[in-house]
Amino acid sequence: MTEPLDEARLHAFVGKMLGDLGGALSVPTVRIGIRLGLFDALAQAPASAEELAGRAGGLHERYVREWAMAQAANGYLAYDPASGRFSLSPEQAMVFVHRDSPVYLAGAFELAAAMIEAEPKVEACFRTGEGVRWGDHAGCLFCATGAFFRPGYVNNIVQNWIPALQGVEQRLRAGAAVADVGCGVGFSTLLMAKAYPESHFTGYDFHEPSIEEARRHAAEHGLAERVDFRVAKAKDIVETGFDLVTMYDCLHDMGDPRGCAAQMRRILVQGGTWMIVEPIAGDRPEDNLNPVGRLYYNASTMICVPTSLDQEVGEGLGAQAGEARLAQILHDGGFHTVRRATEGPFNMVLEAR
């Protein structure tokens, strides 16, 4: 029997959809504004469209005016009809201007664009059950992913996550060997290397273009002598004797996370520590039906699950696996002690010994 239509619920749902579609359609205009420096220019002082166009390097006023009205309708900047000027609040600047802000979200818009670009490839996988190789999703998914995670890493790795581990920070200050597995373009590795100059760091990733970018970053920051970057799958790492292994937002992407856990146990010294940073998630699916879970489930559908299913075993954990399931994988790999060391709005940090 068909449930009768509730007009009030319909209108409420359509209202929600208008908000969602408005957010989706803002992706290209926000990316243009960031690339052309419009948000940066507006952060200097309020401006009319003509003034903003000139301040941003002589852009075309008509395009800038339409762009600015779109951002005002988005709520991403303010418009004063009396003066005809646009302005950016300190809070909005934290999201669109300040690169080291914990809530700088330019990378999130890049990630959304990459997901849309990869849509045909992922859609085909729904029919075949196959995966999409990391690096084949979109033009520069690995760049977008690095940009998305960077603000969280800048504001948490050294300040919150490593200090939450038992005895690890002291070990790093004295001099330790660290493997950063799944390092991507190397943001996490280099942040640790800067903070702990007595330690040596090796970043591993199976995506060669990411490692090339990481090596370039290491050279730019003068860290090439203490930081190595190598192309290798987690299960193929041959070096051993690490005091600390770190994994940032990548265990759930691996095809064989149990095999990976066993390998991490092998490359650690006796008494060593494995730090696993994963997306925050409850253990029951219904616990994740919230704004953060919404972001992660959508990204997981388009990126994490296809990446895992492309690899051997293809467990397809997804970005919302939850602590209990992850802890069981770590136990299966030979780690006797697993605890949640700390957490934040978007991540949980597990410590395995």
Side-chain angles (χ1 to χ4, degrees), residues 112-268:
M115 287 166 58
I116 292 170
E117 184 181 341
E119 179 186 326
K121 296 177 181 178
V122 176
E123 181 180 344
C125 293
F126 274 68
R127 297 184 174 90
T128 65
E130 297 176 350
V132 180
R133 190 174 303 277
W134 180 256
D136 289 349
H137 286 255
C140 195
L141 174 63
F142 70 95
C143 304
T145 302
F148 173 71
F149 285 124
R150 182 184 177 278
Y153 296 167
V154 166
N155 288 277
N156 286 290
I157 289 178
V158 174
Q159 300 91 329
N160 301 310
W161 295 345
I162 287 177
L165 306 175
Q166 295 177 351
V168 169
E169 187 168 42
Q170 298 91 315
R171 205 164 184 173
L172 290 172
R173 294 197 185 285
V178 182
D180 189 15
V181 180
C183 66
V185 294
F187 289 143
S188 54
T189 323
L190 298 176
L191 284 167
M192 292 188 292
K194 284 183 179 180
Y196 306 108
E198 298 303 318
S199 293
H200 187 277
F201 297 82
T202 305
Y204 297 94
D205 201 283
F206 73 159
H207 186 235
E208 187 169 357
S210 292
I211 290 296
E212 292 173 357
E213 187 77 359
R215 287 170 178 160
R216 184 179 66 80
H217 288 152
E220 287 177 355
H221 290 279
L223 293 169
E225 290 186 3
R226 287 196 301 109
V227 181
D228 295 328
F229 286 107
R230 302 179 184 181
V231 179
K233 296 179 180 179
K235 288 169 59 177
D236 294 340
I237 296 171
V238 297
E239 294 79 17
T240 60
F242 292 105
D243 301 288
L244 172 67
V245 171
T246 59
M247 275 192 188
Y248 296 98
D249 293 290
C250 63
L251 180 61
H252 65 272
D253 292 321
M254 296 183 179
D256 183 13
R258 286 177 175 78
C260 173
Q263 177 71 346
M264 296 307 101
R265 176 67 188 86
R266 189 186 72 80
I267 70 174
L268 277 167

Side-chain angles (χ1 to χ4, degrees), residues 250-312:
C250 63
L251 180 61
H252 65 272
D253 292 321
M254 296 183 179
D256 183 13
R258 286 177 175 78
C260 173
Q263 177 71 346
M264 296 307 101
R265 176 67 188 86
R266 189 186 72 80
I267 70 174
L268 277 167
V269 299
Q270 186 67 31
T273 299
W274 181 16
M275 181 175 76
I276 307 99
V277 177
E278 279 287 299
I280 193 79
D283 292 322
R284 302 178 304 168
E286 58 266 32
D287 296 333
N288 303 318
L289 303 182
N290 52 55
V292 173
R294 179 187 186 188
L295 293 176
Y296 281 135
Y297 273 129
N298 279 288
S300 188
T301 302
M302 299 301 295
I303 301 171
C304 308
V305 169
T307 296
S308 177
L309 294 183
D310 176 68
Q311 302 170 56
E312 62 173 338

